[in-house]
């Protein structure tokens, strides 16, 4: 570590900076510095500076004395090739500076992100040795312990963590969550209460308290806490799911159905922290890469999905899953020709590759090759007669060929394969409305869609529009009220409200 001392003095109205570096200070300036340092009023400053230098030197010297073993998976050579290459790169990086806490912590997150929890725990323990005052290190040792199956020990470690670091909010979240899993409800309640005090904008504190109240049958109190969580995070499915359970406990059947629908397929995500937010960039296992690519595609960034999957293909050149997912990303990013070329290679290797035929159908439809699109979809149906996606592909191909009635029949077949799919009913309604001008049939499909999924906003919007066009004010208002409740920021809402108000105006009634 190089220390550069900069001093300033005024000379003839100008400021001159001096750097004490070998070969950069003149004799005149050196004499000035010596004289300046000799002045008594600067002795305290020098003492403080010396203390700081000594403290830093002491910390670094102690850190360098710590004996560390860099954790390496015993089966490194047998791991997935993409993961193995990434781990080797990070291990080399850590070996360059083994006493660097950031590098050890990063290695721990790399292992954790790829499910190698034993080695992750070893790396986090190294960080504990290097920096005992870093609460994240101790927390992640406990997280790894929990992931390795020792919940009781993890709870004890989280409890110790909160005693050592009483203002560390993520520690209280982990203690509350693990305590709930262990059935220690009172401890969980105290932990979530402290989390709310430390992080009042964190929805998980209120959701955790709501979960606690649910477990002891206090449904009204649970609903209150969970409504606060949803106010902070309207799109968090887990909070909606828990609120649905609370509504069910209170006998509010309609509210329960709505909230449970909004919380469908809820997943558990821990409270983020400075280390966890970096985990995604270190994921290298194929299932995780597929999920990441799907997320980017569905959130409007298919180019990022393509980037992730093209890299995966370099490590897995013949993998069917990678090829199929990459082709889907190509289609979604407006590159159907690339998708088609890739999938033709895929079916050469396996002529029973069902997802490849579905993807080929979509690629050909996008390229204007309707006959090929229909043929590939028909082949997919032969391979998977009970697969709704095969019929959806055929419906898409028939719509591209302007064979709308046949497309609707294909969608009906898809729905028979998946009678719980609100999305298929929604698509059927759109075909009836936009392609076949069958408003009554469209309204029936949209109503079926909201029966299956009461939180499907797009269906409620269509229902409101159709009722307004038919002059059914009360039915339109009912749909609008539902939209206002579940999606108050939906851009269609003010337009619908304006139209229904005009429908109810005296002038309109006279007309």
């Amino acid at each position: 570590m190089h220390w550069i001392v900069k001093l300033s003095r005024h000379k003839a109205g100008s400021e001159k900076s001096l750097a004490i570096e070998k070969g950069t200070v003149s004799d005149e300036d050196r004499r000035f510095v010596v004289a300046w340092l000799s002045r008594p009023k600067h002795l305290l400053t020098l003492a403080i500076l010396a203390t700081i230098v000594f403290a830093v030197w002491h910390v670094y010297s102690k850190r360098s004395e710590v004996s560390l073993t860099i954790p390496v998976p015993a089966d490194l050579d047998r791991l997935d090739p993409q993961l193995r290459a990434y781990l080797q790169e990070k291990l080399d990086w850590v070996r360059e500076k083994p006493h660097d806490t950031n590098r050890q912590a990063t290695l721990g997150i790399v292992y954790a992100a790829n499910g190698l929890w034993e080695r992750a725990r070893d790396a986090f323990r190294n960080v504990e040795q290097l920096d005992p005052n870093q609460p994240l290190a101790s927390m992640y040792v406990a997280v790894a312990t929990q992931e390795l199956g020792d919940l009781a020990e993890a709870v004890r470690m989280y409890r110790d963590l909160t005693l050592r670091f009483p203002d560390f909010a993520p520690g209280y979240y982990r203690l509350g969550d693990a305590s709930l899993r262990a059935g220690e409800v009172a401890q969980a309640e105290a932990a979530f209460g402290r989390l709310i005090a430390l992080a009042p904008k964190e929805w998980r504190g209120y959701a955790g308290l709501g979960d606690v109240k649910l477990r002891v049958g206090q449904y009204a109190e649970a609903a209150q806490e969970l409504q606060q969580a949803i106010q902070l995070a309207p799109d968090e499915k887990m909070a909606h799911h828990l609120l649905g359970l609370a509504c069910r406990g209170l006998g509010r059947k309609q509210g329960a159905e709505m909230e449970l629908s909004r919380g469908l397929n809820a997943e558990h995500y821990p409270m983020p922290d400075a280390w966890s937010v970096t985990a995604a960039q270190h994921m290298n296992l194929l299932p995780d890469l597929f999920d990441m690519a799907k997320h980017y595609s569905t959130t409007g960034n298919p180019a990022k999905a393509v980037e992730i999957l093209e890299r995966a293909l370099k490590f897995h050149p013949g993998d069917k899953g990678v090829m199929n997912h990459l082709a889907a990303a190509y289609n979604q990013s407006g590159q159907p020709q690339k998708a088609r070329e890739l999938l033709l290679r895929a079916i050469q290797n396996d002529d029973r590759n069902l997802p490849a035929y579905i993807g080929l159908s979509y690629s050909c439809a996008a390229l204007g090759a309707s006959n090929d699109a229909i043929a590939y979809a028909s082949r997919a149906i032969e391979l998977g007669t009970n697969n709704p996606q095969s019929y959806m592909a055929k419906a898409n191909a028939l719509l591209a060929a302007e064979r709308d009635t046949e497309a609707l029949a294909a969608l009906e077949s898809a729905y028979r394969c998946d009678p719980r799919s609100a999305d298929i009913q929604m698509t059927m309604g759109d075909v009836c409305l936009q392609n076949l001008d069958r408003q009554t049939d469209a309204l029936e499909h949209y109503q079926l869609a909201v029966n299956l999924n009461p939180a499907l906003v797009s269906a409620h919007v269509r229902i409101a529009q159709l009722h307004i066009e038919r002059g059914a004010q009360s039915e339109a208002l009912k749909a609008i009220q539902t939209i206002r409740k579940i999606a108050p920021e939906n851009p269609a809402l003010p337009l619908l409200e304006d139209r229904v108000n005009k429908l109810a105006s005296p002038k309109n009634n006279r007309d």
Side-chain angles (χ1 to χ4, degrees):
M1 178 174 294
H2 301 286
W3 288 89
I4 298 177
V5 181
K6 290 190 175 180
L7 308 175
S8 298
R9 64 169 173 158
H10 293 280
K11 188 174 183 179
S14 64
E15 187 176 273
K16 184 175 181 182
S17 295
L18 300 176
I20 302 180
E21 280 185 12
K22 184 177 180 180
T24 63
V25 183
S26 67
D27 291 339
E28 177 189 355
D29 288 339
R30 196 182 306 280
R31 286 193 296 273
F32 170 79
V33 172
V34 172
W36 186 87
L37 294 176
S38 300
R39 296 173 66 179
K41 67 179 181 179
H42 297 299
L43 292 178
L44 180 59
T45 302
L46 286 173
I48 293 171
L49 179 61
T51 301
I52 294 171
V53 172
F54 176 78
V56 172
W57 171 82
H58 180 73
V59 169
Y60 277 84
S61 63
K62 286 293 183 183
R63 184 176 294 177
S64 64
E65 293 173 4
V66 174
S67 177
L68 298 176
T69 299
I70 298 174
V72 179
D75 57 349
L76 180 62
D77 292 338
R78 296 192 297 275
L79 293 178
D80 174 277
Q82 186 169 357
L83 175 59
R84 182 172 66 247
Y86 190 73
L87 289 179
Q88 193 63 63
E89 174 189 324
K90 290 302 178 185
L91 285 167
D92 291 343
W93 178 63
V94 173
R95 288 178 181 124
E96 290 175 359
K97 294 183 177 180
H99 291 84
D100 185 314
T101 55
N102 175 63
R103 298 192 185 203
Q104 287 284 353
T106 300
L107 181 61
I109 293 297
V110 169
Y111 283 137
N114 293 285
L116 300 170
W117 285 104
E118 287 190 15
R119 300 291 79 81
R121 182 166 60 179
D122 293 340
F124 294 134
R125 282 173 172 163
N126 283 346
V127 182
E128 272 192 311
Q129 291 187 67
L130 293 169
D131 187 359
N133 294 318
Q134 170 54 269
L136 284 170
S138 297
M139 188 182 83
Y140 273 98
V141 171
V143 170
T145 300
Q146 181 177 342
E147 290 290 339
L148 289 167
D150 194 345
L151 179 60
E153 176 62 11
V155 170
R156 184 196 66 75
M157 296 170 78
Y158 292 134
R159 190 186 306 116
D160 289 348
L161 174 69
T162 58
L163 292 174
R164 290 174 56 211
F165 302 98
D167 296 327
F168 182 56
Y172 286 96
Y173 165 76
R174 296 283 183 172
L175 176 60
D177 182 68
S179 296
L180 274 183
R181 294 171 186 270
E184 300 183 29
V185 179
Q187 181 170 261
E189 183 174 13
F192 287 125
R194 179 60 176 160
L195 174 59
I196 290 172
L198 292 171
K201 299 297 185 182
E202 173 53 59
W203 68 271
R204 291 171 182 82
Y206 301 96
L209 273 185
D211 199 349
V212 167
K213 301 298 183 184
L214 279 174
R215 294 175 187 236
V216 295
Q218 298 176 359
Y219 299 115
E221 294 86 344
Q224 185 176 356
E225 298 292 348
L226 293 163
Q227 285 164 352
Q228 181 65 33
I230 289 170
Q231 190 172 10
L232 291 169
D235 297 327
E236 288 296 340
K237 289 187 174 186
M238 184 57 71
H240 286 289
H241 174 76
L242 292 171
L243 181 57
L245 297 179
C247 289
R248 180 187 289 171
L250 291 167
R252 302 173 185 169
K253 182 178 179 181
Q254 187 175 1
E257 289 179 355
M258 177 66 73
E259 293 303 329
L260 290 172
S261 177
R262 297 179 74 181
L264 191 65
N265 299 321
E267 295 185 40
H268 181 272
Y269 294 105
M271 180 179 172
D273 56 68
W275 289 2
S276 68
V277 295
T278 68
Q281 71 190 58
H282 301 302
M283 292 179 177
N284 278 273
L285 292 175
L286 286 181
D288 293 326
L289 296 179
F290 294 159
D291 287 343
M292 287 171 60
K294 182 179 179 181
H295 170 76
Y296 282 117
S297 290
T298 55
T299 55
N301 191 3
K304 182 64 175 177
V306 168
E307 178 186 332
I308 291 170
L309 294 167
E310 283 184 336
R311 184 171 186 272
L313 189 62
K314 293 178 181 178
F315 288 94
H316 309 86
D319 189 280
K320 291 193 299 184
V322 176
M323 297 173 82
N324 290 331
H325 281 86
L326 178 54
Y330 279 143
N331 280 332
Q332 291 161 344
S333 64
Q335 303 178 76
Q337 183 60 42
K338 283 189 175 182
R340 182 179 179 276
E341 292 170 0
L342 183 62
L343 291 171
L344 286 174
R345 284 166 44 200
I347 63 172
Q348 284 179 351
N349 295 333
D350 179 5
D351 65 355
R352 299 187 63 81
N353 186 337
L354 173 59
Y357 284 104
I358 292 173
L360 273 169
S361 179
Y362 282 103
S363 299
C364 291
L367 292 167
S370 299
N371 290 336
D372 287 345
I374 294 170
Y376 285 128
S378 298
R379 174 59 175 158
I381 291 170
E382 291 176 5
L383 293 170
T385 55
N386 294 318
N387 188 319
Q389 295 304 318
S390 302
Y391 293 100
M392 293 290 288
K394 189 166 186 177
N396 178 73
L398 290 166
L399 286 171
E402 299 185 359
R403 294 161 59 177
D404 301 330
T405 302
E406 294 175 76
L408 184 60
L411 288 169
E412 290 170 349
S413 296
Y415 183 67
R416 284 194 293 272
C417 295
D418 186 6
R420 299 298 301 168
S421 173
D423 290 335
I424 295 176
Q425 283 293 338
M426 186 71 189
T427 306
M428 292 169 72
D430 287 344
V431 171
C432 288
L433 180 64
Q434 299 169 11
N435 296 58
L436 298 172
D437 195 24
R438 289 158 47 177
Q439 292 191 4
T440 301
D441 291 342
L443 189 57
E444 290 179 2
H445 287 300
Y446 295 141
Q447 192 58 56
L448 282 170
V450 298
N451 291 343
L452 291 166
N453 181 2
L456 186 58
V457 178
S458 56
H460 288 292
V461 169
R462 300 284 204 286
I463 290 170
Q465 290 172 332
L466 284 171
H467 283 310
I468 290 171
E469 290 177 10
R470 293 175 159 213
Q473 179 190 356
S474 61
E475 294 299 323
L477 282 171
K478 183 180 178 181
I480 289 170
Q481 287 169 357
T482 302
I483 299 167
R484 190 184 298 121
K485 179 180 179 181
I486 61 178
E489 303 299 323
N490 189 284
L493 190 56
L495 300 175
L496 292 171
E497 290 174 331
D498 182 61
R499 290 186 64 193
V500 81
N501 288 335
K502 289 178 179 177
L503 188 66
S505 68
K507 179 180 182 300
N508 191 74
N509 290 336
R510 286 197 303 271
D511 293 344

